């Protein structure tokens, strides 16, 4: 497959230019289809492409897909990944918030996107679907969906070890084994360890266990497949990860808000115990941290899951599939908002979530019509707790949030080949959601309950032109259930403020063209217009009770264009490109026009690579990956006086790999972010101060060795 965000090319080493680009098969629509014929904007990466680009987590994927931006800042944790597609994502992480972009691993939806295992090893491919996917992927897919598909066990014997050493203390080791135990059983096992040093020190906590931004992670995944015949298979999978490290780098700007409580030393008419603060009280190096609270310095995350997938082929025209899964995740994190030695506003936090899901599919053909249908059930229980070691105004602080979500759905998608060139499809999904939530901010628990239901639809057509290019048009809708406030300290003044927003709806109109333009050039282009109703933005300010987060409900229209291409200039030189443009228009409210947070207007990537053979039959591959993300805003405001604009960033990776003639090992020299571009993940103006949460993505140079047994 193409080594970048381009999803149109299947590649093998040293192919001739006349067959360099071939169509591949994806399962984005829960049926196997040639990617040219999928009537949605989609990017895909193979496991080999991920390795070649040095992509190790979801944040890296977000650098090479048009109109995709992946941030990682939840509660200062280093393991979180929050995707934003076409102006839709999630600014927060608490249990009462839901992502606008869904992430699936082998068909299992991940309800939480903090604390999960984001080490992208043992991967068959990743598919990034842009635009609402409400019919086949259901709730929380109003911006798009990301499918992570792991390698299934089979009879092919494989054993691979990858080791990596680099600057900033990088140490990584990963092993993958695939074996057949007998004619019916096979398994694969992936396990690894990944560590990296930090970027700064906790200057006022000399006994801190980790440095700022330091990470250590253990992970593993075991899959066992039972396939007594070609018509039935059963796959059992267990995975787990255990990570620890130091708080993500961030800093606090105080002088920039001279009317704020930190600068004046007065909050809500009362003096702060620390008195007035200045930027000089924060660490001089923004990658150091001046907190005096040890409980803040360490972050941790654990996640584990079990899944069982059964596939039956009942006949040549009818098949069914069942996916049953249970997952749990937990984390410990939190920020010291004042960023100083004073125990003023600091919020050590822990969270956990347990989810169970069941999906049944019935798929097949009836005459010239093919269909995908199913039933879906999902339940999640989770909580977030601040209280022990936390404080607001140097006094006690409590935040105890709990929620149980139950979602049920029935769906069907039907396709019909009207002619050899024209295919039309349509789909419907009916979803019922119910949430029961409780909030305790120190005045006793407040209980709330709400429910929603929605019908999502899809209507699309794609036509193959005489030159082989495929043109498509689609109308898609998406749905997300309403959300309760994340930090309802408004309860101190309004006991009735803990209520959920209305359900969110999205309708997307899209046209596109994709395919092989010539034998050595493939491309795709998509033009879209998406309308969102009752979309909540999270807005955070300090209030008399604590750090209050409320939902600003808006109407938003996102329109734009996306382009991807793969070109072979010679048999050995190829170039992958992606470009995205999005214009987000938010309806004015009370004379103020909000903006979509964390959504760059322009995104782009360029990835040239060149491979040549040596006289001894060995090969050397050199590649460069350039990624651009335009400026954006960390909150739903473009007011320059709030200082929440995040500057644009340009990242460059390089990789030089040597493969001997026998091809059983490969050695690589790599450089990630070679110009050491330091950039912000988020900026938030609370009215008292500005939080600047920075990336943990500094430059790194090293060597990687891959050995296949």
């Amino acid at each position: 497959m193409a080594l970048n965000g381009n999803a149109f090319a299947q590649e093998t080493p040293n192919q001739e230019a006349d067959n360099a680009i071939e169509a591949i098969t994806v399962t984005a629509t829960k049926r196997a289809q040639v990617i040219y014929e999928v009537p949605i904007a989609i990017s895909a990466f193979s496991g080999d492409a991920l390795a070649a680009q040095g992509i190790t987590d979801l944040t890296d994927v977000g650098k090479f897909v048009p109109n995709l931006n992946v941030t990682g800042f939840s509660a200062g944790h280093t393991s979180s990944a929050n995707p934003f597609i076409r102006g839709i994502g999630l600014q927060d992480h608490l249990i009462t918030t839901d992502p606008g972009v869904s992430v699936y691993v082998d068909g299992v939806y991940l309800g939480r996107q903090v604390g999960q295992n984001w080490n992208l090893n043992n991967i068959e491919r990743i598919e990034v679907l842009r635009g609402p996917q409400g019919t086949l992927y259901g709730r929380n897919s109003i911006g798009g969906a990301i499918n992570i598909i792991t390698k299934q066990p089979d009879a092919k014997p494989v054993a691979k070890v990858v080791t990596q050493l680099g600057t900033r203390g990088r140490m990584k080791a990963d092993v993958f084994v695939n074996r057949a135990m007998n004619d019916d059983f096979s398994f694969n096992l992936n396990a690894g360890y990944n560590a990296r040093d930090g970027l700064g020190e906790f200057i006022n906590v000399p006994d801190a266990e980790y440095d700022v931004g330091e990470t250590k992670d253990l992970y593993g995944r075991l899959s066992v497949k039972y396939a007594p015949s070609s018509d039935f298979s059963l796959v059992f999978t267990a995975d787990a990860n255990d990570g620890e490290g130091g708080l993500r780098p961030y800093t606090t700007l105080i002088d920039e808000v001279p009317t704020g409580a930190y600068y004046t030393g007065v909050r809500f008419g009362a003096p702060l115990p620390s008195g007035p603060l200045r930027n000089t009280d924060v660490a001089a190096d923004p990658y150091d941290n001046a907190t005096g609270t040890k409980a803040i310095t360490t972050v941790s995350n654990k996640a584990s899951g079990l899944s069982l997938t059964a596939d039956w082929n009942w006949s040549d025209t009818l098949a069914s599939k069942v996916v049953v899964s249970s997952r749990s995740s937990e984390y410990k994190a939190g920020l010291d908002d004042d960023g100083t030695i004073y125990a003023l506003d600091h919020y050590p936090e822990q969270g956990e979530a347990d989810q169970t899901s069941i999906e049944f599919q019935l798929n097949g053909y009836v005459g010239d019509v093919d269909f995908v249908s199913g039933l879906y059930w999902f339940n999640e229980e989770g909580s977030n707790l601040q209280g022990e070691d936390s404080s607001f105004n140097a006094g006690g602080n409590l935040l105890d949030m709990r929620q149980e979500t139950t979602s049920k759905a029935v769906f069907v998608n039907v396709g019909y080949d009207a002619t050899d060139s024209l295919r039309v499809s349509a789909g419907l999904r009916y979803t019922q959601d119910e949430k029961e939530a409780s909030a305790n901010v120190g005045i006793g628990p407040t209980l709330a309950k709400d429910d929603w239901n929605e019908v999502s639809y899809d209507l699309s057509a794609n036509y193959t032109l005489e030159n082989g290019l495929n043109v498509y048009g689609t109308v898609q809708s998406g749905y997300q259930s309403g959300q309760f406030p994340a930090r309802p300290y408004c309860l101190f003044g309004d006991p009735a403020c803990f209520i959920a927003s209305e359900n969110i709806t999205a309708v997307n109109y899209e046209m596109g063209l994709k395919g092989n333009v010539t034998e050595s050039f493939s491309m795709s282009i998509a033009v879209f217009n998406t309308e969102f109703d009752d979309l909540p933005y999270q807005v955070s300010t300090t209030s008399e009770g604590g750090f209050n987060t409320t939902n600003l409900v808006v109407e938003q229209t996102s329109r734009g264009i996306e382009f991807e291409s793969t070109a072979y200039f010679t048999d050995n030189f190829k170039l992958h490109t992606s470009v995205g443009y999005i214009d987000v228009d938010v309806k004015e409210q009370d004379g103020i026009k909000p903006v979509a947070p964390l959504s760059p207007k322009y995104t782009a990537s360029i990835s040239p690579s060149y491979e040549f053979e040596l006289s001894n039959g060995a090969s050397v591959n050199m590649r460069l990956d350039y990624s651009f993300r335009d400026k954006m805003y960390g909150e739903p405001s473009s007011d320059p006086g709030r200082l929440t604009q995040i500057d644009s960033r340009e990242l460059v990776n390089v990789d030089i790999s040597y493969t001997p003639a026998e091809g059983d090992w490969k050695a690589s020299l790599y450089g990630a972010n070679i110009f050491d571009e330091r950039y912000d993940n988020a900026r938030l103006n609370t009215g008292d101060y500005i939080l600047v949460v920075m990336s943990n993505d500094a430059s790194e140079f090293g060597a990687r060795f891959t050995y296949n047994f």
Side-chain angles (χ1 to χ4, degrees), residues 409-486:
V410 56
F411 62 89
V412 62
N413 187 276
V414 177
Y416 173 63
D417 293 324
T419 68
D420 291 341
S421 301
L422 177 64
R423 174 181 171 82
V424 294
S425 61
L428 288 173
R429 186 185 189 103
Y430 175 73
T431 306
Q432 288 183 342
D433 285 326
E434 181 179 285
K435 293 182 178 181
E436 297 183 19
S438 69
N440 189 349
V441 294
I443 55 176
T446 298
L447 306 179
K449 180 179 179 180
D450 211 334
D451 60 84
W452 304 264
N453 62 81
E454 188 70 34
V455 175
S456 302
Y457 59 88
D458 174 280
L459 180 62
S460 59
N462 52 286
Y463 183 82
T464 303
L465 303 174
E466 290 184 2
N467 60 4
L469 290 177
N470 195 282
V471 61
Y472 72 87
T474 184
V475 180
Q476 307 161 296
S477 75
Y479 154 75
Q480 186 175 47
S481 56
Q483 301 181 45
F484 290 97

Side-chain angles (χ1 to χ4, degrees), residues 285-297:
D285 183 341
Y287 287 90
D288 287 334
N289 193 299
T291 184
T293 306
K294 185 177 181 181
I296 287 288
T297 63

Side-chain angles (χ1 to χ4, degrees), residues 505-526:
T505 57
V507 180
N508 181 51
Y509 305 90
E510 181 170 316
M511 293 186 64
L513 177 71
K514 53 185 171 180
N516 290 339
V517 180
T518 69
E519 294 175 339
S520 57
F521 179 68
S522 68
M523 54 79 70
S524 80
I525 187 168

Side-chain angles (χ1 to χ4, degrees), residues 33 57 141-142 164 223 231 378 391 419 441 569 682:
Q33 285 182 286
D57 57 29
S141 301
I142 57 174
Q164 182 177 330
S223 293
D231 293 325
F378 172 85
S391 67
T419 68
V441 294
F569 293 97

Side-chain angles (χ1 to χ4, degrees), residues 101-139:
V101 176
S102 59
V103 178
Y104 287 80
V105 178
D106 292 334
V108 175
Y109 169 68
L110 302 183
R112 297 296 111 191
Q113 295 177 2
V114 59
Q116 301 290 351
N117 178 12
W118 297 121
N119 286 284
L120 298 181
N121 301 283
N122 184 26
I123 300 299
E124 180 68 28
R125 69 182 179 277
I126 293 179
E127 302 170 354
V128 180
L129 289 62
R130 302 188 294 278
Q133 306 296 323
T135 303
L136 290 176
Y137 291 89
R139 57 193 292 272

Side-chain angles (χ1 to χ4, degrees), residues 72-292:
F73 61 91
S74 300
H77 210 292
T78 51
S79 77
S80 61
N82 301 326
F84 282 73
I85 295 179
R86 295 181 176 180
I88 296 296
L90 176 64
Q91 296 169 260
D92 220 314
H93 65 283
L94 296 187
I95 192 65
T96 54
T97 63
D98 287 321
V101 176
S102 59
V103 178
Y104 287 80
V105 178
D106 292 334
V108 175
Y109 169 68
L110 302 183
R112 297 296 111 191
Q113 295 177 2
V114 59
Q116 301 290 351
N117 178 12
W118 297 121
N119 286 284
L120 298 181
N121 301 283
N122 184 26
I123 300 299
E124 180 68 28
R125 69 182 179 277
I126 293 179
E127 302 170 354
V128 180
L129 289 62
R130 302 188 294 278
Q133 306 296 323
T135 303
L136 290 176
Y137 291 89
R139 57 193 292 272
N140 300 341
S141 301
I142 57 174
I146 299 175
N147 285 333
I148 301 173
I149 299 107
T150 66
K151 296 178 180 177
Q152 279 212 356
D154 56 30
K156 183 179 180 180
V158 176
K160 182 172 72 172
V161 174
V162 181
T163 57
Q164 182 177 330
L165 293 174
T167 57
R168 199 182 157 190
R170 170 71 74 187
M171 293 180 58
K172 184 175 182 179
D174 185 87
V175 60
F176 173 71
V177 178
N178 185 89
R179 286 287 188 274
M181 294 178 280
N182 56 41
D183 291 342
D184 297 338
F185 284 92
S186 57
F187 78 95
N188 64 35
L189 171 68
N190 174 234
Y193 171 76
N194 191 11
R196 183 173 57 173
D197 290 345
L199 289 173
E201 298 179 352
F202 294 100
I203 58 178
N204 291 321
V205 186
D207 58 341
E209 186 174 0
Y210 298 100
D211 287 337
V212 176
E214 184 176 356
T215 60
K216 293 182 178 180
D217 195 30
L218 283 167
Y219 56 90
R221 186 179 186 90
L222 172 67
S223 293
V224 179
K225 185 175 184 178
Y226 172 61
S229 72
S230 60
D231 293 325
F232 176 74
S233 67
L234 194 65
V235 179
F236 170 77
T237 300
D239 73 280
N241 66 283
D242 188 346
E244 261 196 1
L247 183 67
R248 174 179 290 273
Y250 77 96
T251 191
T252 303
L253 304 181
I254 300 170
D255 295 3
E256 286 78 0
V257 190
T259 58
Y262 286 175
Y263 194 93
T264 63
V266 177
R267 178 180 275 167
F268 305 115
L272 296 179
S274 62
L277 299 175
R278 297 291 182 267
N279 284 346
T280 51
D281 293 302
V282 179
D285 183 341
Y287 287 90
D288 287 334
N289 193 299
T291 184

